[in-house]
Amino acid sequence: MQTELSRNLGIEHAVFGFTPFPAVAAAISRAGGFGVLGAVRYTAPDDLKRDLDWIEAHVGGRPYGLDVVMPAKKVEGVSEADVEAMIPPGHRQFVRDTLAQHGVPELAEGEASGWRITGWMEQVARTQLDVAFDYPIRLLANALGSPPPDVVARAHDRGVLVAALAGSARHARKHQEAGIDIVVAQGYEAGGHTGEIASMVLTPEVVEAVDPLPVLAAGGIGSGRQVAAALALGAQGAWLGSLWLTTTEADLHSPALTRKLLAAGSGDTVRSRALTGKPARQLRTEWTDAWDDPAGPGTLPMPLQGLLVAEAVSRIQKYEVEPLLGTPVGQIVGRMTGVRSVQAVFDDLTRGFEQAVDRINRIAGRSGQS
């Protein structure tokens, strides 16, 4: 699975794996792909430093990258407390009532919620970069469009490539104008924040829009056949995220969530604003149903929704309240039917890729003889 981009990065397979788990990122790179660690959960610089140290010790000298969440436009003089004060009391009551209906226990006194939206705030992302640029990362990806110009320049000064996710050709062209090196065309099928255009349509549109920039195809990719299809559409690699959630190296801390992921079909996700206020594909649960119910108060815009539900999500996860328990995941969840190692996933990807290429070659050969 070699392309010009994979050769330039010195990786064996043009498979880029996004994950919040350091052990998964390192295993992806060791398997010949390119591991990308998601940094959004690291609100303390020392925690990110600890995990980058771990990756350095376990990646075997292979290249890897970091994914941050930074808005291109900065909002000055607004603190987290200012944003919290904007949340309507009725929405807070809706959260309390929903949790009470399902008997979700409170957190212990003094226990902070484990998931906060602060990782989405620019000042936090900048502290992450202050740490990351002390390490030999080869790629900086941003999930909220193009990073601010000074961040792009800072990365380029260190020889770090910059990637940005796009859900349309228009967004992709903006990335190109901003000096981005790689565009990740993320289709409707993808987990997490995603747009409304399916990968089969989006990938060639973006490839044509930003030529000659390399494009990675994302969304709904979980087999070697799908990687081959992405390359046939003009992409120079595939960006996979959901597939790694059920690997042995992943650290979900929730047997119940793992069971739900393994049991889910491709139709068991929903694109909902329940988690952050922006449309994000995730497991459909009674929690997402409650927020999407027209009888409810409706979700708030980002970042209000994320701040509103942070403690509730932590309580649901800690006590594994299965009817409410979910996670961002793409429609590829239907292929995630067993726990496998990252290496086993790569073995399956490469085998499926070779079979798909051989099949196309046979078809082309027969066509040439007719």
Side-chain angles (χ1 to χ4, degrees):
M1 295 188 285
Q2 278 279 317
T3 65
E4 181 182 355
L5 178 61
S6 66
R7 286 190 289 270
N8 288 342
L9 287 170
I11 58 177
E12 185 178 354
H13 306 300
V15 173
F16 295 73
F18 164 80
T19 175
F21 306 117
V24 175
I28 290 169
S29 291
R30 288 197 309 271
F34 191 100
V36 181
L37 179 67
V40 70
R41 68 190 179 95
Y42 293 98
T43 55
D46 287 346
D47 291 342
L48 178 59
K49 183 178 185 307
R50 176 201 65 218
D51 283 355
L52 288 176
D53 283 340
W54 190 94
I55 289 176
E56 275 292 300
H58 293 84
V59 79
R62 303 292 185 92
Y64 63 94
L66 193 75
D67 180 279
V68 297
V69 179
M70 297 186 75
K73 295 182 180 177
K74 178 185 245 182
V75 179
E76 300 280 1
V78 178
S79 68
E80 185 178 342
D82 294 331
V83 178
E84 286 264 17
M86 300 177 190
I87 298 173
H91 281 72
R92 294 191 185 278
Q93 187 61 49
F94 180 75
V95 170
R96 288 192 289 269
D97 291 345
T98 304
L99 296 178
Q101 288 167 12
H102 291 84
V104 182
E106 298 276 353
L107 295 176
E109 186 175 351
E111 183 179 358
S113 62
W115 182 84
R116 295 293 285 170
I117 201 69
T118 49
W120 299 80
M121 301 178 79
E122 181 183 347
Q123 61 267 34
V124 176
R126 286 185 178 274
T127 63
Q128 294 165 350
L129 294 179
D130 289 340
V131 171
F133 283 140
D134 286 337
Y135 292 81
I137 62 171
R138 295 290 305 280
L139 177 73
L140 173 67
N142 189 38
L144 274 186
S146 305
D150 68 295
V151 172
V152 176
R154 190 177 174 192
H156 286 166
D157 287 345
R158 288 163 173 76
V160 176
L161 296 177
V162 180
L165 276 64
S168 71
R170 178 174 60 86
H171 292 154
R173 281 190 286 267
K174 288 185 177 179
H175 296 338
Q176 187 178 38
E177 293 165 2
I180 299 303
D181 304 294
I182 301 168
V183 176
V184 181
Q186 180 169 279
Y188 172 82
E189 309 95 324
H193 294 123
T194 189
E196 299 180 347
I197 305 174
S199 298
M200 182 64 76
V201 175
L202 178 66
T203 301
E205 285 187 352
V206 171
V207 168
E208 292 171 10
V210 301
D211 184 59
L213 283 189
V215 172
L216 302 178
I221 301 175
S223 72
R225 285 177 293 176
Q226 290 165 319
V227 174
L231 301 190
L233 293 172
Q236 288 207 30
W239 178 277
L240 283 63
S242 299
L243 195 63
W244 316 111
L245 290 173
T246 53
T247 56
T248 53
E249 293 88 348
D251 193 11
L252 284 178
H253 295 298
S254 174
L257 181 55
T258 299
R259 286 196 301 271
K260 291 189 75 170
L261 287 168
L262 295 176
S266 55
D268 292 328
T269 69
V270 64
R271 193 165 162 269
S272 171
R273 299 177 184 267
L275 187 61
T276 68
K278 282 185 176 291
R281 186 168 298 284
Q282 54 204 280
L283 279 180
R284 182 176 181 178
T285 66
E286 292 186 28
W287 178 254
T288 62
D289 286 349
W291 283 105
D292 295 338
D293 189 338
T299 56
L300 298 170
M302 181 186 272
L304 300 181
Q305 182 72 14
L307 287 169
L308 169 64
V309 305
E311 181 181 321
V313 170
S314 291
R315 288 165 60 186
I316 292 166
Q317 291 175 344
K318 176 177 180 178
Y319 298 110
E320 296 193 297
V321 184
E322 292 205 33
L324 304 179
L325 186 63
T327 184
V329 69
Q331 291 180 333
I332 200 63
V333 69
R335 289 190 61 89
M336 296 156 53
T337 56
V339 176
R340 301 179 292 167
S341 69
V342 168
Q343 184 62 60
V345 172
F346 264 89
D347 291 343
D348 183 60
L349 289 173
T350 54
R351 184 166 50 247
F353 180 84
E354 290 168 358
Q355 291 170 350
V357 171
D358 287 345
R359 179 174 182 272
I360 295 300
N361 284 337
R362 289 195 303 272
I363 292 172
R366 286 197 297 270
S367 297
Q369 295 168 6
S370 61

